[in-house]
Every structure is written in structure tokens, then in C-alpha cells.
Amino acid sequence: MGLLEFIKDYFLGFWDYETPKVMVVKNKKLGVIYRGVQFLVITYFIWYVFISQKAYQDSETRPESSVYTKMKGTALQGDHILDMVEYVRPSEGGDVISTILRREVTHNQRQGTCAEHFTVPSANCSKDADCTSREVNFDGNGQRTGRCVPYYNQAFKTCEIQTWSVTNKMTAINFTVYIKNAIHFPKFKVLRGNIKPNKRNGQKYLNKCHYNEKEHPYCPIFRLGYIAEQAREKFSELCRTGGVIGVFINWKCDLDLDPSECTPTYSFRRLDLRKNLPSSGYNFRFAKYYSKDGEEFRTLIKAFGIRLDVIVHGHAGRFSIIPTIINTVTAMTSVGICSIICDWIMLTFIDKNDIYSDRKFDDVRQ
């Protein structure tokens, strides 16, 4: 066949009209495959698309949200009782708040000289020549004086530095965190909060409740121990190294039901890397300055604690005729795939496929 004849046949064949032909095939194997595929497709659309995913609803996944957090609790440091002003940064905050679990406190610091900490690289020495005067090690704590001095009461020596002098103490605390969240779905004009309205005993209830998924789902007050437990973390380890925990508030609202059914669920997960990395955990430093006898002093505090990041997700849906029609048509169209699959099996794998092919395809010329 020449090129011109091929082009002519293709051009003429382009204008042919094809219509489905109904042919009943008495083959049980093929019938079982056909009904089985039909069952799987129909089950997928009924159970997963319409029931599980609620494809008959119009949905909104980017709501507007506000978060307000506040911590309460007291801590014991020696004979002193400290409150949230000392241990919370900030004391009242938004979606991020930090709680100090352990403090390394340095009292009465003043400018002077002392031995560099032995963990600083190249800090260890045996003679003055090992310490370059006025050299600053950016991993260290101050400028070197050029002297090699004993490391406090230890037998070894480190380079002397000019800095704020240091001493350390520790403490531990137990806090609760109050998380107030409001969410707005502007498409549906629905505003919800994670605190159940109660005009008569609302404040008394909040003063004594702690969140429990079954007993107190509307109580927005969480114990730090509960948060660590739900995040599968040891509280003692968090006290030692600190850590960042995400508090996830998930709103999944079916607005076809009563609005009271639109309630949040909470989940907790550790967010910072903790596989023995130098950057693992969570800590920060701050200082309090004061003057004594005309000389400036400060109290340096290195704090280890939990940083809580409150992250809100929302999804709301309500019945709408448009997505219902679209997904219904899609389901009916997908059922037609069953015939295409069975035709392919019949014409490819089943015995006497030539007979089926002859009966399925007819050329009618007029």
C-alpha cells in the first residue's frame, strides 16, 4: 500500500461513525469478572467518595483562626516561690509560648576574669604560650587574657578569659497552659470556639478542669505532663534538654449536622530534631542587670524548657447540588470502564476470541 492510498483510507475512515453494539456473551468467567469490577467501582464511589470524603458537599479548607495562650503554675527555687512571670516567655502569648523547666542561674555576675569552660574547643592548656592574648574564640565565652590558669578546683588548666563570671544552679516546675482558639469559616459564615458557652458556671468550671478527651473535651487547660505524655516524650528528658512540641488543633466540621457537633480534636508531636544533634532540645539565655556599690552586676539565666507551637487546621463542608451532580456523573461514567476492561479480556485472552471479534465488529456500507 502506497503512502497516498494510506492517507486516502485514513481520511475516508475519519468520517466513519461508530456506535456500540449490544452482544450477550454466555461466558461465566467473563460475567464474574464484569460484575466483580462493577462491584468494586460502585463500592469505591459509594463508600469512599460519597460517605468517607463527602463528595456531595461544598468544602472550605482555609479558615481564619486566632489563638491566645496563657500559663499558670509556681516553681520552687531553693526557699523561693516563683510564678509564671519568671518562668514563661511571654507570660501571655499567641500561638507560640515557652515554659522554663530547668534554669542554670548565675548570681552576682560582674566583669572580671575566670577560666574558660573546658568543653570549649582549644580551651585546655598547659602553659601561657597556649593561650593567645586578646584572642576571641567565637565558640567560647569571652576574650582571652593570655594566661593559663587552673580550672577551679580541678587538676587541669584552661585559658583565662575576660567575661562575666559564672556559677550554676537548677530548678524544676509544673505548669498548666490555657489555649483559647476561635475559628471562622467565612464561606459558610460559621464561627466556633474551643470553649463551650456556659453563662452560669463557665468560669468556675475553667478554674478547676483539666483537658481529658472523654471527660472534659471542652476544657482548654492542659497539664504539661499530659502534653509530654501524648507526644510520647519523657518529661524528665525534656527538663534536661528542653524541646519543641507542636499542639495541633484540628477542626473537621460537617455543617449538615447540628453546629454543636463542630468540635476540635487535639494532637501533640515533638517538632525539633533529637537524634543526639548539637541543635537538639530547646534553651535560651537572658539576664537581669543591677548595680551594687557603683559596680554593674547581672544574674545570668540559661533556661531549658518546652516551647509550644499551636497549629490550627480546619475543614468544613455543607451539602451543595453542584459537587453532587459532578461526582454522580463521574461515578456513572466510571462504571462504563467495566465494559472496556471486559471487552479487552474477551478479545485478548478468552478462547474463540476471533469469533467474538467477528460478531462484535460489523461494517455497514450505504
Side-chain angles (χ1 to χ4, degrees), residues 291-357:
S291 296
K292 183 179 180 180
D293 298 330
E295 187 176 3
E296 184 182 25
F297 289 81
R298 75 175 184 182
T299 297
L300 178 66
I301 301 173
K302 182 177 181 180
F304 296 82
I306 295 177
R307 175 179 134 174
L308 300 178
D309 289 11
V310 183
I311 303 170
V312 182
H313 298 292
H315 179 278
R318 178 178 287 166
F319 174 80
S320 176
I321 191 64
I322 294 178
T324 301
I325 293 175
I326 293 175
N327 286 285
T328 301
V329 172
T330 303
M332 296 174 65
T333 304
S334 299
V335 172
I337 298 176
C338 304
S339 298
I340 298 175
I341 295 174
C342 290
D343 284 349
W344 176 71
I345 295 174
M346 177 183 69
L347 299 174
T348 306
F349 298 104
I350 296 181
D351 295 337
K352 301 180 181 179
N353 54 5
D354 292 336
I355 298 176
Y356 295 138
S357 179

Side-chain angles (χ1 to χ4, degrees), residues 60-123:
E60 182 175 13
T61 58
R62 300 184 65 181
E64 301 167 350
S65 175
S66 66
V67 174
Y68 168 76
T69 56
K70 183 178 180 179
M71 285 195 176
K72 293 183 178 181
T74 57
L76 180 64
Q77 180 185 6
D79 297 328
H80 301 283
I81 300 296
L82 304 177
D83 60 13
M84 64 181 182
V85 177
E86 293 285 334
Y87 279 90
V88 181
R89 297 289 186 276
S91 58
E92 296 181 4
D95 55 358
V96 176
I97 192 169
S98 301
T99 310
I100 301 174
L101 301 178
R102 179 169 69 88
R103 307 199 314 175
E104 294 180 355
V105 184
T106 303
H107 296 286
N108 298 327
Q109 270 198 328
R110 60 182 177 180
Q111 286 285 346
T113 59
C114 62
E116 177 65 278
H117 197 274
F118 69 93
T119 61
V120 174
S122 72

Side-chain angles (χ1 to χ4, degrees), residues 140-295:
N141 300 292
Q143 185 182 63
R144 293 181 177 178
T145 64
R147 296 179 56 206
C148 182
V149 297
Y151 186 76
Y152 301 103
N153 295 324
Q154 304 296 325
F156 61 91
K157 297 181 178 181
T158 62
C159 293
E160 186 183 56
I161 58 173
Q162 184 175 5
T163 184
W164 295 90
S165 57
V166 296
T167 57
N168 292 327
K169 291 185 180 179
M170 283 193 258
T171 187
I173 62 169
N174 185 17
F175 275 125
T176 60
V177 56
Y178 167 77
I179 303 176
K180 183 179 180 180
N181 174 228
I183 193 167
H184 178 220
F185 296 98
K187 179 184 289 188
F188 305 115
K189 298 180 180 179
V190 172
L191 178 64
R192 299 290 297 168
N194 65 334
I195 304 175
K196 190 174 183 179
N198 190 331
K199 296 181 180 180
R200 301 182 61 182
N201 300 316
Q203 191 58 45
K204 292 182 179 179
Y205 173 73
L206 293 178
N207 288 337
K208 63 180 181 179
C209 74
H210 287 154
Y211 174 80
N212 183 281
E213 184 177 359
K214 295 181 179 179
E215 298 179 2
H216 300 287
Y218 282 101
C219 180
I221 300 175
F222 303 83
R223 292 184 299 103
L224 287 183
Y226 175 83
I227 292 177
E229 178 185 346
Q230 294 298 307
R232 298 182 179 180
E233 296 293 331
K234 293 183 178 180
F235 197 78
S236 58
E237 182 67 16
L238 289 174
C239 289
R240 188 179 68 85
T241 64
V244 181
I245 294 181
V247 179
F248 297 89
I249 306 179
N250 302 290
W251 294 84
K252 191 172 182 180
C253 301
D254 185 352
L255 301 180
D256 293 328
L257 304 177
D258 188 272
S260 62
E261 299 295 327
C262 180
T263 57
T265 58
Y266 301 89
S267 58
F268 309 89
R269 186 172 70 249
R270 180 83 176 264
L271 297 181
D272 61 302
L273 299 175
R274 55 191 185 281
K275 294 183 178 180
N276 298 322
L277 298 176
S279 60
S280 63
Y282 178 72
N283 65 80
F284 58 93
R285 290 179 173 87
F286 60 96
K288 298 179 180 180
Y289 295 86
Y290 59 94
S291 296
K292 183 179 180 180
D293 298 330
E295 187 176 3

Side-chain angles (χ1 to χ4, degrees), residues 49-65:
V49 176
F50 285 96
I51 297 179
S52 178
Q53 298 299 313
K54 294 181 173 59
Y56 55 86
Q57 292 183 332
D58 188 14
S59 62
E60 182 175 13
T61 58
R62 300 184 65 181
E64 301 167 350
S65 175

